[in-house]
Amino acid sequence: MRQQFLFSPTLRDVPQGADIPSHQLMLRAGLIRQTASGIYSYLPLGKRVLNHVEKIIREEMNKSGAQEILMPAVQPSELWEESGRLDDYGPELMRLNDRNDREFVLGPTHEEVITSLVRDELNSYKKLPVNLYQIQTKYRDERRPRFGVLRSREFIMKDAYSFNPDTESLAQSYDAMYEAYSNIFRRCGLDFRAVKADAGAIGGKGGTHEFMVLSDVGEDTIAYSDASDYAANLEIADLPDTFSESAVPDEEITSVHTPAARSMDEVSTYLSVMHDQLIKSILFIVDDEPVLFICRGDHELNDVKIGNALDAGTTRLAEEEEIRNLFGTEPGFIGPVGIPENVKVMADYAVKGISSGVCGANETDTHLLHVHPKRDVHIDQYGDFRFVKEGDPAPDGGGTIQFAKGIEVGHVFKLGTKYSEALGAYYLDENGSSRPLLMGCYGIGVSRTLAAVIEQHHDEDGLIWPRSVAPFDLHLLVLNSKQEDQAELGESLYDNLRQQGYDVLFDDRNERAGVKFKDADLVGLPVRITCGKKADEGIVEVKTRETGEMEEVHADRLVDYLNALFR
Ligand code: ATP
Ligand code: MG
């Protein structure tokens, strides 16, 4: 491609409103332009990278045995009613009506469409398992679209759905996807971790992993062990039960006046006790029943774990009114001692280790001292109900938990039968009985992956593409196109290198050398070849973008040199 014809408007300055390197560089190097908030056009350089990422995805998906299809972005709302998600999905779902006032949605994901697609076809165990995937545009009306294509409202996703007869088969499909994803992200040049994750709103029980690209701009926190390969999303990272029951204190419970001391900080300061001797009490309503969760004052209760632990339909925080009715006091002063019998008490493991604790007395401006969990509280169950903190022990017995930030680029899920049951996708097993299909779903944010690659591969001068996804392999520069020997050498190398199978961007523009070098660094192709002053001797300068290493190479040896470099 001759650069003079390339539609790649570059920007000298950092564009306003672009807060992270990938967003800034994609705008500056002319990869994308914004059309509306969270909605982007891809220009030739961006589209070429996208194509390369998609090619890698297709190769690995096909290798795993999955088959490519393409489903519509426009989906009838009735399908979403059938699955029960029309209301559950919330305002992220973009809706529209056709001329006959029939309702449609713009697909944010495709469980409904694919399940309806296969429900009359995959009706026998003999046709299973099947894994179908597509690369397609998705729509989500994100509350806060930001960071360019990292969190946009229209984006490209690779989504795959497996249909399996039994859990063993589902596990095989899941493992195959896990491996394909690992290959895909490795080939894209990404430093990533597969972390255990929460099943969330998509529903379904069983395994789920998120593929996280390690990056400071990531919106997710990964909790990982410094001594093993344990890694989980902070939301669900588990904690082992490492606490043994504390000794009973000599003192009996006593109440103290604590005017206006409600928060853990206020109580700690007022009574001069450490946070780890405080007992924090929070009332939840779990399927209409009140449940008091308690944890140590220096810990935070984790509602994802709480929801999962109770296997409940709905879990929510109690309203102030409900707290008043049950405990006869306001939220800041509730505690687990002497409470109504119908309130279950669930305690985080760490509460066990408190020997002389402090908690709310269920009376305004009053706390209790010398509380011992075993002696004074009727605890129904101990469990892992809190967020991990850095320095906590890892759950697999190896090492200590550390935190890192990650960008979620992929997600693999065991969905189970949620959609097959809701949408009536059944098959006949070997004994002729009808069973719902087991499903797995597997997503990759294709456009987000592009941004993630840039987050990990850039410097202050611009992009540094891994060869696997670079828009071109080589940037060929003629420094002064008015110098005949330079122009001639450039032209002949341009032909020759393309014949050798290289993608070449040929900067034959009538620009100053400084401009060309700056643009080359900004666009960040893996190797730059410059025809300059020594063109008359047939010598070019070869620079590797990543290392900055430069070498003079004779044009006759150039192909061998490059072949060695790229291999
Ligand atoms: P997030 O927590 O970041 O909102 P999600 O859990 O909603 O992601 P999934 O429903 O699992 O995402 O979608 C599969 C993949 O699609 C994600 O792993 C991510 O890479 C990508 N993705 C999701 N939302 C967006 C978005 N708004 N913009 C770009 N990519 C996205
Ligand atoms: Mg989301």
Side-chain angles (χ1 to χ4, degrees), residues 114-129:
I114 194 136
T115 308
S116 78
L117 190 68
V118 306
R119 65 180 158 195
D120 297 322
E121 306 299 334
L122 297 178
N123 50 12
S124 158
Y125 73 95
K126 289 180 194 146
K127 300 180 181 171
L128 301 172

Side-chain angles (χ1 to χ4, degrees), residues 416-428:
T417 57
K418 176 176 161 132
Y419 295 95
S420 47
E421 282 183 27
L423 291 141
Y426 290 83
Y427 75 100
L428 291 180

Side-chain angles (χ1 to χ4, degrees), residues 140 142 149-152 155 157 408-411 445 448:
R140 293 184 185 179
E142 298 275 354
V149 299
L150 211 52
R151 182 170 297 285
S152 48
F155 61 95
M157 195 199 285
E408 181 198 320
V409 286
H411 207 166
R448 184 181 282 184

Side-chain angles (χ1 to χ4, degrees), residues 461-530:
D461 296 324
L463 302 158
I464 306 176
W465 292 110
R467 190 194 175 193
S468 57
V469 298
F472 295 89
D473 302 318
L474 307 173
H475 209 157
L476 179 63
L477 271 56
V478 170
L479 274 199
N480 184 349
S481 35
K482 290 192 187 111
Q483 294 277 333
E484 230 162 78
D485 42 5
Q486 290 187 26
E488 251 169 46
L489 183 61
E491 290 292 340
S492 79
L493 286 176
Y494 182 48
D495 285 341
N496 192 10
L497 291 169
R498 281 185 303 157
Q499 267 166 31
Q500 296 294 323
Y502 287 103
D503 269 339
V504 187
L505 181 62
F506 183 26
D507 192 352
D508 55 349
R509 295 174 303 167
N510 207 356
E511 291 279 2
R512 280 181 297 114
V515 172
K516 293 187 176 188
F517 285 142
K518 262 204 149 42
D519 280 349
D521 280 344
L522 179 59
V523 171
L525 302 182
V527 173
R528 187 186 83 191
I529 299 160
T530 308

Side-chain angles (χ1 to χ4, degrees), residues 71-75 80 85 106-115 134 136-138 157 159 161 439:
M71 289 179 276
V74 179
Q75 312 179 357
W80 285 70
R85 277 208 293 187
L106 291 178
T109 174
H110 277 67
E111 283 80 10
E112 282 79 1
V113 173
I114 194 136
T115 308
Q134 63 172 349
Q136 198 232 25
T137 304
K138 296 281 190 276
M157 195 199 285
D159 44 332
Y161 305 87
M439 287 174 65

Side-chain angles (χ1 to χ4, degrees), residues 203-223:
K205 288 250 143 37
T208 154
H209 284 85
E210 290 165 346
F211 286 78
M212 296 281 191
V213 169
L214 302 178
S215 163
D216 288 341
V217 310
E219 294 177 289
D220 288 275
T221 302
I222 305 165

